[in-house]
Amino acid sequence: MSAGGWQNFVDRLERREEMAVVRAALTGNHQVLDVGGGTGEITRAVAGDLGRCVTVEPHVNRVERLRLGLGSTDVGELEVHPGRAEALPFSDGSFDAVFSAWVLPYVDNPVKAVREIARVCDPTHGEAKVVLIGGSPDNEVVALLNEVCVPIAGESHDHQGYLLATAAQTLSEHGFGRLSLSRTEAALHFTEPSLGERIRSAADLLVNFWYDGHPRAADMREALVPALNRHFARRPHAIGDQGLVLVARPGESA
């Protein structure tokens, strides 16, 4: 994944319902941590709502990009730390809420990452919660990657639903057992006038985001053409990036 590929992906996204879901979930919180700040859209929105947000980001270039935006007047205080989800640089119970958007597929050890998220969230706070976002089972982006790119790369299929289920189990084992799940919609939009242009743009976007620099990136772009042709025959200008939002609160499930 490259910084440019990530930014191009975000620039194409429309109807990002998870933004509103996260902001609504955190309205009663004050000390909030974002694990994996990425390009910072949700992080900045939360900071603007609450006056402050802390984020941990493992990629040095993204840390610097986040810090460069600190002077923006439409957000609250944004505190940026380099670090990884599996070893968060904070003491136990440092935050009353922790959220992480589309990060679990990219960590080295998802269970350890979720344990760390639970560790730094204070379960005694009245509004304590963990909010995790991942792909839904019918996510169209993931389906295209699993169909075309994953076999070429020789990797295992991406099962984001499994990751969220594992996260839910791990959170329950660490005292955050009151779980709720909601679905969100988002889509990558392609406004190029011709089908061929939309296919080329979509193939470049998907490969550059997940497989930038891969020795078989050109093969992936070529192999995506027939799959994207079929997809755009059904949905001419968009590829869905449907999500699930898991909210875990202290206590046991009913």
Side-chain angles (χ1 to χ4, degrees):
M1 184 193 305
S2 67
W6 176 273
Q7 189 61 59
N8 290 338
F9 187 93
V10 170
D11 289 344
R12 293 269 186 177
L13 274 177
E14 296 183 11
R15 195 184 173 187
R16 292 190 64 185
E17 292 180 352
E18 77 265 21
M19 181 91 72
V21 172
V22 171
R23 294 171 76 174
L26 299 175
T27 53
N29 297 103
H30 303 284
Q31 299 293 327
V32 176
L33 172 67
D34 173 18
V35 178
T39 53
E41 288 83 8
I42 301 180
T43 321
R44 295 184 192 284
V46 170
D49 290 343
L50 305 181
R52 182 175 184 267
C53 185
V54 180
T55 185
V56 169
E57 168 57 48
H59 299 283
V60 174
N61 58 341
R62 291 185 201 151
V63 169
E64 293 307 313
R65 285 172 183 263
L66 286 165
R67 286 175 172 166
L68 285 173
L70 293 180
S72 176
T73 57
D74 60 347
V75 300
E77 179 185 352
L78 185 60
E79 184 179 319
V80 185
H81 294 263
R84 302 189 64 81
E86 295 94 333
L88 295 173
F90 307 105
S91 59
D92 296 359
S94 295
F95 303 92
D96 55 52
V98 183
F99 72 95
S100 187
W102 305 94
V103 168
L104 289 181
Y106 308 108
V107 301
D108 294 331
N109 188 325
V111 170
K112 187 174 182 180
V114 175
R115 286 174 181 163
E116 278 289 276
I117 287 171
R119 179 185 65 79
V120 300
C121 188
D122 178 9
T124 67
H125 191 278
E127 289 290 335
K129 62 182 70 74
V130 172
V131 182
L132 302 178
I133 303 175
S136 68
D138 61 341
N139 184 290
E140 294 172 0
V141 170
V142 174
L144 283 165
L145 292 168
N146 280 340
E147 176 188 350
V148 177
C149 297
V150 165
I152 293 173
E155 298 176 350
S156 300
H157 282 191
D158 188 351
H159 295 291
Q160 296 204 22
Y162 171 78
L163 289 174
L164 280 178
T166 301
Q169 178 64 37
T170 303
L171 287 167
S172 295
E173 292 170 355
H174 288 78
F176 290 83
R178 292 169 53 212
L179 307 173
S180 63
L181 198 64
S182 59
R183 177 185 170 84
T184 64
E185 292 286 342
L188 300 165
H189 282 260
F190 299 87
T191 58
E192 291 83 350
S194 73
L195 175 61
E197 289 174 301
R198 295 197 298 274
I199 288 174
R200 286 193 295 274
S201 294
D204 284 341
L205 184 150
L206 294 174
V207 174
N208 291 347
F209 183 54
W210 275 272
Y211 293 102
D212 183 55
H214 193 282
R216 298 197 63 189
D219 295 334
M220 295 178 192
R221 291 186 182 91
E222 182 179 353
L224 277 165
V225 170
L228 287 166
N229 199 4
R230 293 191 300 272
H231 175 86
F232 285 132
R234 295 183 290 102
R235 194 173 185 185
H237 296 281
I239 301 175
D241 193 29
Q242 300 88 345
L244 292 175
V245 180
L246 172 68
V247 179
R249 295 176 172 86
E252 298 180 358
S253 60

